[in-house]
Amino acid sequence: MLKLVIARIAHAIIVLLGVTLVVSSLVRLVPGDPVDVIAASNPAMTQADMETLREAMGLTRPVMEQFAIYVTGAVQGDLGVSIRQRVPTAELIVERLPATIELTFWAIVLAMALAVPIGLATALNRGTSVDYAGTTVVVLGVSMPGFLLGVLLILFFSVQLRWLPASGFRGSALMAMGQAVMERDFSIFWNAFRYFILPSISLAFVLVAINARLIRSAMLEVLQQDYITFAAAKGVPRFVIIIRHALRNALLPLVTVAGLQMGNLLSGTIVIETVFAWPGVGRLAVDAIHWRDYPVIQAVVLVSAVLFITINLLVDILYRFIDPRVRND
């Protein structure tokens, strides 16, 4: 296990360096730079002033030199200073990251809560109307973009019915849950959680489709195994066979997929956060790209890569505890 962790960390360092270098190079290929954006809102700035500002920001240095300076600072915990807001980039990430993490958490919980019963029902009712209905959900989930679903949900639940807010964020629902339990007031939790519902559904819908199909395929394969037939011949109740023997083994592939999906959600909520005006890391990245705020862009990508790699490392370790065959290999 220790060798696995060391190997993954060494691989992660190489990946992070590569990601940082690629992003540092690509953001500078975009027409314009932070000085151009600043000059656009300050007509009195002359060309000489712009060149002086570029020199002060270090934008005239070679890309590799800027990359080396950034990596040196990142190793020491310094992710730079936002060009637009003039505050440390790490503070902006720490401020925005909890909202993105909790949104990802609720999306994963919702996706699993729906995907497992749908996948189980379609597998046990193969070729029936239940299976066809589940297939329809899968097709819709895979084919419908998340931002389109988000807009439709806003139009229906926020504009037409006025049941849920169209945008905004009112604090952590998890913290509100604890406070609601202590004060025995459910409204405290609801006032915070209602803002998570629509963006969580928008993120989770495609995950429901993918995971339900995965569980269905895994269940159909497991149900044909000899140990399932042997358990049925022994007279084990069908419910026990399905839940304890079949579903338990069918969920193993889902562990790996869920880890990848969580990493993708943490780094890929940009569109949904923009649609719902969510104060997360994704929206911070969009604003940084608009303002050519290079330190913020690099920090967002770097933090997203770290989270993605960390989650996959934890999944690898967890999988070895869940499946003894992998651990023995």
Side-chain angles (χ1 to χ4, degrees):
M1 184 65 69
L2 181 60
K3 292 182 179 180
L4 169 68
V5 175
I6 295 175
R8 287 291 191 272
I9 292 176
H11 181 262
I13 293 174
I14 298 174
V15 171
L16 292 176
L17 289 174
V19 168
T20 306
L21 177 60
V22 170
V23 173
S24 300
S25 303
L26 290 180
V27 294
R28 285 162 176 79
L29 295 178
V30 179
D33 59 17
V35 177
D36 293 327
V37 177
I38 296 173
S41 58
N42 187 7
M45 181 176 290
T46 64
Q47 189 66 31
D49 295 334
M50 295 173 62
E51 293 301 327
T52 302
L53 186 57
R54 286 192 179 95
E55 183 71 25
M57 291 182 175
L59 300 177
T60 58
R61 297 175 180 175
V63 174
M64 291 304 299
E65 183 179 348
Q66 295 182 44
F67 171 71
I69 294 174
Y70 183 81
V71 171
T72 302
V75 171
Q76 299 174 357
D78 181 12
L79 298 179
V81 177
S82 172
I83 296 175
R84 179 192 176 193
Q85 303 186 44
R86 308 307 302 170
V87 297
T89 303
E91 293 184 7
L92 297 176
I93 299 294
V94 172
E95 179 183 350
R96 300 290 191 96
L97 190 58
T100 298
I101 291 178
E102 187 165 354
L103 178 60
T104 300
F105 168 78
W106 289 115
I108 288 291
V109 169
L110 178 61
M112 295 303 172
L114 295 177
V116 173
I118 291 175
L120 184 60
T122 53
L124 298 178
N125 297 276
R126 184 180 184 182
T128 64
S129 57
V130 175
D131 190 16
Y132 296 143
T135 303
T136 302
V137 173
V138 170
V139 173
L140 287 176
V142 174
S143 59
M144 180 175 291
F147 70 89
L148 176 59
L149 177 61
V151 172
L152 294 178
L153 291 175
I154 291 174
L155 290 176
F156 185 70
F157 289 101
S158 301
V159 178
Q160 296 293 332
L161 300 179
R162 298 184 179 180
W163 287 356
L164 297 170
S167 61
F169 176 73
R170 292 293 179 88
S172 171
L174 294 175
M175 296 182 63
M177 181 188 298
Q179 184 179 355
V181 172
M182 295 179 60
E183 300 184 12
R184 298 181 181 180
D185 185 0
F186 179 76
S187 63
I188 298 176
F189 169 72
W190 174 248
N191 289 334
F193 180 70
R194 59 200 296 262
Y195 288 88
F196 285 87
I197 296 177
L198 296 185
S200 296
I201 294 175
S202 302
L203 286 174
F205 192 52
V206 64
L207 302 184
V208 172
I210 295 173
N211 294 340
R213 198 66 180 175
L214 177 63
I215 294 174
R216 178 185 182 276
S217 300
M219 279 292 296
L220 292 177
E221 181 180 355
V222 170
L223 289 174
Q224 298 175 359
Q225 299 298 318
D226 293 338
Y227 66 88
I228 298 295
T229 304
F230 179 72
K234 287 177 58 179
V236 178
R238 180 170 174 78
F239 177 80
V240 176
I241 293 176
I242 293 173
I243 300 300
R244 183 175 180 181
H245 299 286
L247 183 60
R248 180 180 179 182
N249 290 295
L251 290 178
L252 289 176
L254 190 61
V255 175
T256 301
V257 174
L260 294 174
Q261 290 173 346
M262 185 174 296
N264 287 329
L265 287 178
L266 285 172
S267 58
T269 59
I270 294 176
V271 176
I272 299 301
E273 289 187 359
T274 303
V275 170
F276 290 95
W278 194 261
V281 175
R283 193 178 176 195
L284 177 65
V286 172
D287 294 338
I289 294 172
H290 175 74
W291 288 94
R292 308 295 192 275
D293 200 339
Y294 296 157
V296 175
I297 298 173
Q298 292 172 321
V300 169
V301 174
L302 182 62
V303 171
S304 299
V306 170
L307 291 174
F308 191 93
I309 293 172
T310 302
I311 290 174
N312 280 274
L313 174 61
L314 295 176
V315 169
D316 285 342
I317 296 174
L318 178 62
Y319 206 91
R320 280 160 174 75
F321 284 102
I322 295 176
D323 193 346
R325 295 170 298 180
V326 178
R327 184 169 63 249
N328 293 334
D329 290 341

